[in-house]
């Protein structure tokens, strides 16, 4: 059967594909209508499962009118099972890493699994261009937007696409925090040379959530040099952040200006249609039976971010399993009831928040909406904005507008400020807890 497959695929695939995917694979055994096949890497496994497995099933019918299903295994897994432990430990760990593992990519975050729609169309198009012509068109590509809107997904999709094309490409995905930690460790362990070699020799560097470089002087310095080396050798850099470069506090001006050299694209929240499409794709991937009206109901209930949308789907699914009932709109409504209540408080308005906060701090609502910079007013104003963002579903521009026409970046800054203070400042923790409680009643 294997010989039959080889011959068939040789005709079907281009020579390079055939060498890459088929010649590297090794048939292990045919048992209980399953053919066990070992492949060298996770990338191969993924490719086999996506593109070749169904062809094998079809070929089996052609071959002997029988049903044979391929089971694709990693060579490293097969070896582990059959070889004595002493032999495997001789190999350095890095030699066994697959390209996907070495690049730190999540196998789920591909272009195939990414749904495009309003809010991400432009970012998606830019990501595609960059993956097709790395280092030439948009360098760096800077993707920014709120949490859970698909920045990490899209960024990693670029890495996948590049590796699909060229499994030898040196791709590296890293969060800005890990980059900072690696850098600090390299200083402590006197391995800066290795660190530099590691980051300055990649073909594609993906640095996620770059806003966490704020306040990290040494790391910014190091990244500046990494950036320059890669840029000058026409290697592609992709960055993400929750905001534009110039809105990141304490980011060195020279980095801000470099980050703007290429293209900055934002991702905004998906509209109802896109949210429904995302849910549908997810439901299909997970083999869930959900009628379309229930899908759009779920999509209509969660409008902030895709991660929460996915969470809602999981919740509805679990609820249906627990109650042994099919998923319908009313079941979804029941399952999502608490979720909605816990997040935004129904009926709570920015008006009410301003009134309560003003009363609590003994200032006036006009003070909160005004521009005076006294310390006694600035803090209550920032707390009121923070609460408006936390407890209502108002957008940043809307909050700014209700606070006497302030810019959305001012609101963002205030929210960040309070979120930071809440981690350390006991008085503010106390105040915010009290205010939240009084707003609930
Ligand atoms: P961010 O990095 O912007 O916070 P992520 O990339 O981590 O967001 O996305 C959160 C989750 O939502 C992930 O599971 C991701 O796969 C999913 N997701 C986001 N946008 C999309 C999309 N357009 N299509 C499919 N899945 C998406
Ligand atoms: Mg992310």
């Amino acid at each position: 059967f294997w010989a039959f497959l080889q011959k068939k695929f040789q005709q079907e695939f281009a020579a390079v594909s055939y060498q890459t995917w088929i010649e590297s694979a090794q048939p292990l055994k045919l048992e209980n209508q399953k053919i066990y096949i070992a492949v060298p890497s996770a990338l191969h496994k993924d490719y086999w499962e996506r593109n070749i497995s169904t062809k094998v099933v079809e070929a089996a019918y052609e071959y002997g009118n029988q049903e044979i299903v391929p089971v694709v295994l990693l060579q490293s897994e097969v070896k582990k099972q059959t070889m004595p432990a002493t032999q495997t430990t001789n190999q350095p760990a890095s030699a066994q890493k697959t390209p996907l593992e070495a690049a730190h990519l999540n196998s789920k975050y591909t272009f195939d699994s990414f749904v495009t729609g309003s809010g991400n169309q432009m970012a998606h198009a830019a990501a595609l261009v960059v993956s097709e012509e790395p280092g030439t068109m948009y360098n760096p590509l800077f993707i920014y937007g709120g949490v859970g809107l698909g920045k990490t997904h899209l960024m990693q999709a670029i890495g996948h696409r590049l590796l699909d094309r060229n499994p030898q490409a040196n791709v590296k995905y890293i969060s800005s925090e890990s980059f900072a930690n690696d850098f600090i460790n390299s200083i402590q362990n006197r391995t800066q040379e290795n660190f530099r070699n590691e980051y300055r020799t990649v073909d594609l560097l993906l640095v996620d959530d770059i806003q966490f470089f704020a306040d990290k002087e040494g790391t910014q310095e190091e990244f500046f040099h990494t950036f320059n080396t890669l840029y000058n050798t026409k290697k592609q850099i992709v960055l993400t952040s929750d905001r534009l470069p110039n809105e990141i506090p304490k980011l060195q001006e020279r980095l801000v200006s470099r980050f703007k050299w290429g293209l900055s694209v934002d991702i905004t929240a998906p509209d109802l249609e896109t949210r429904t499409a995302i849910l549908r794709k997810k439901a299909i991937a997970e083999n869930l039976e959900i009628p379309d009206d229930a899908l759009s109901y779920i999509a209509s209930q969660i409008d902030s971010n895709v991660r929460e949308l996915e969470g809602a789907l999981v919740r509805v699914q679990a609820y249906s399993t627990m109650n042994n009932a099919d998923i319908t709109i009313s079941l979804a409504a029941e399952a999502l009831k608490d979720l909605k209540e816990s997040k935004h408080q129904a009926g709570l308005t920015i008006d009410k928040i301003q009134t309560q906060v003003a009363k609590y701090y003994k200032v006036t609502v006009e003070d909160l909406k005004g521009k005076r910079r006294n310390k006694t007013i600035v803090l209550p104003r920032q707390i009121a904005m923070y609460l408006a963002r936390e407890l209502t579903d108002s957008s940043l521009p809307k909050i700014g507008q209700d606070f006497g026409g302030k810019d959305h970046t001012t609101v963002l800054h205030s929210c960040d400020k309070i979120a930071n203070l809440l981690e350390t400042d006991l008085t503010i923790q106390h105040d915010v807890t009290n205010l939240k409680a009084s707003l609930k009643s």
Side-chain angles (χ1 to χ4, degrees):
F1 180 48
W2 186 250
F4 175 81
L5 280 180
Q6 279 182 313
K7 207 163 152 206
K8 187 174 159 59
F9 289 154
Q10 205 154 19
Q11 286 161 3
E12 198 168 320
F13 285 89
V16 189
S17 296
Y18 182 79
Q19 276 162 16
T20 313
W21 307 116
I22 312 297
E23 276 186 355
S24 63
Q26 189 191 351
L28 298 172
K29 60 181 173 184
L30 187 65
E31 195 178 275
N32 294 332
Q33 296 185 303
K34 291 196 180 110
I35 180 165
Y36 291 81
I37 296 162
V39 295
S41 79
L43 187 77
H44 285 79
K45 184 168 181 276
D46 193 54
Y47 190 88
W48 262 82
E49 285 170 349
R50 268 172 214 265
N51 304 308
I52 306 181
S53 287
T54 50
K55 292 192 203 293
V56 173
V57 177
E58 285 162 16
Y61 279 105
E62 217 177 288
Y63 179 67
N65 206 14
Q66 48 184 326
E67 177 155 324
I68 298 178
V69 181
V71 179
V72 185
L73 302 168
L74 283 178
Q75 259 155 29
S76 55
E77 288 168 3
V78 177
K79 272 192 206 133
K80 250 183 241 152
Q81 286 162 8
T82 53
M83 281 205 301
T86 46
Q87 279 190 8
T88 42
T89 49
N90 284 342
Q91 281 172 346
S94 62
Q96 293 175 349
K97 273 196 187 163
T98 68
L100 272 197
E101 286 163 356
H104 292 136
L105 295 179
N106 180 329
S107 62
K108 284 194 220 148
Y109 293 164
T110 61
F111 279 120
D112 284 343
S113 61
F114 193 84
V115 177
T116 58
S118 71
N120 65 29
Q121 220 136 32
M122 167 95 171
H124 175 263
L128 262 185
V129 169
V130 159
S131 69
E132 266 149 34
E133 297 180 48
T136 53
M137 290 285 284
Y138 306 128
N139 207 12
L141 176 64
F142 191 97
I143 305 171
Y144 67 101
V147 277
L149 296 182
K151 300 184 297 295
T152 300
H153 187 142
L154 206 49
M155 156 183 258
Q156 293 207 6
I158 299 173
H160 280 289
R161 182 55 63 85
L162 212 70
L163 281 174
D164 275 347
R165 290 261 201 65
N166 173 16
Q168 258 77 52
N170 189 351
V171 173
K172 200 167 181 70
Y173 165 86
I174 191 155
S175 69
S176 67
E177 286 151 309
S178 301
F179 182 90
N181 288 337
D182 273 13
F183 172 61
I184 290 162
N185 287 336
S186 80
I187 295 176
Q188 280 167 358
N189 305 329
R190 297 173 195 282
T191 52
Q192 282 176 79
E193 193 62 30
N194 292 348
F195 177 87
R196 286 186 180 147
N197 284 337
E198 194 178 334
Y199 286 97
R200 294 184 193 181
T201 55
V202 300
D203 299 307
L204 170 64
L205 182 63
L206 311 165
V207 186
D208 208 356
D209 289 320
I210 202 98
Q211 72 270 17
F212 295 120
F213 273 174
D215 285 333
K216 297 194 176 92
E217 277 292 321
T219 304
Q220 289 190 24
E221 174 79 28
E222 179 62 29
F223 188 69
F224 175 75
H225 296 295
T226 308
F227 184 101
N228 289 343
T229 307
L230 293 176
Y231 187 88
N232 290 333
T233 50
K234 294 213 158 40
K235 304 301 186 193
Q236 181 69 43
I237 302 157
V238 182
L239 308 166
T240 73
S241 168
D242 64 349
R243 62 198 83 181
L244 276 166
N246 52 307
E247 291 171 352
I248 301 173
K250 305 217 178 124
L251 185 65
Q252 293 173 7
E253 197 44 48
R254 54 186 188 168
L255 282 179
V256 172
S257 74
R258 273 168 179 73
F259 292 176
K260 291 199 245 170
W261 277 353
L263 177 72
S264 303
V265 280
D266 68 340
I267 300 193
T268 56
D271 61 11
L272 180 63
E273 204 186 341
T274 313
R275 296 201 301 276
T276 312
I278 291 173
L279 283 179
R280 191 173 297 124
K281 185 146 203 163
K282 182 104 183 151
I284 293 170
E286 314 246 309
N287 261 327
L288 306 177
E289 292 264 339
I290 308 181
D292 264 7
D293 59 353
L295 282 182
S296 44
Y297 174 78
I298 300 171
S300 73
Q301 294 304 298
I302 311 287
D303 57 8
S304 44
N305 84 52
V306 181
R307 186 171 293 123
E308 277 176 29
L309 196 62
E310 291 181 346
L313 186 65
V314 170
R315 204 179 162 108
V316 170
Q317 151 76 7
Y319 198 86
S320 125
T321 312
M322 257 163 18
N323 293 292
N324 199 12
D326 288 342
I327 298 177
T328 58
I329 292 188
S330 60
L331 181 127
E334 194 57 30
L336 299 180
K337 207 174 63 192
D338 312 340
L339 200 71
K340 266 187 83 67
E341 277 165 11
S342 66
K343 194 162 171 280
H344 299 316
Q345 289 173 33
L348 185 61
T349 58
I350 297 182
D351 244 21
K352 257 190 214 165
I353 293 174
Q354 289 171 335
T355 312
Q356 282 288 345
V357 171
K359 203 167 110 196
Y360 188 89
Y361 287 105
K362 304 195 172 60
V363 297
T364 66
V365 170
E366 282 65 46
D367 285 336
L368 296 181
K369 292 184 181 180
K371 291 195 158 54
R372 284 169 58 199
R373 309 277 318 152
N374 308 30
K375 215 176 159 202
T376 49
I377 296 169
V378 170
L379 185 72
R381 186 184 290 143
Q382 290 177 332
I383 286 183
M385 289 184 188
Y386 170 84
L387 289 171
R389 178 143 198 234
E390 280 285 290
L391 304 178
T392 75
D393 53 13
S394 310
S395 65
L396 292 173
K398 163 86 171 101
I399 297 174
Q401 196 185 348
D402 286 9
F403 277 83
K406 294 192 174 60
D407 193 68
H408 78 276
T409 53
T410 310
V411 181
L412 190 62
H413 172 74
S414 303
C415 296
D416 283 354
K417 175 96 186 287
I418 300 304
N420 277 335
L421 284 174
L422 277 173
E423 283 174 13
T424 50
D425 191 317
L426 292 178
T427 316
I428 291 189
Q429 280 173 15
H430 172 85
D431 288 359
V432 168
T433 310
N434 277 345
L435 277 164
K436 276 190 175 170
S438 77
L439 287 166
K440 267 214 176 95
S441 56

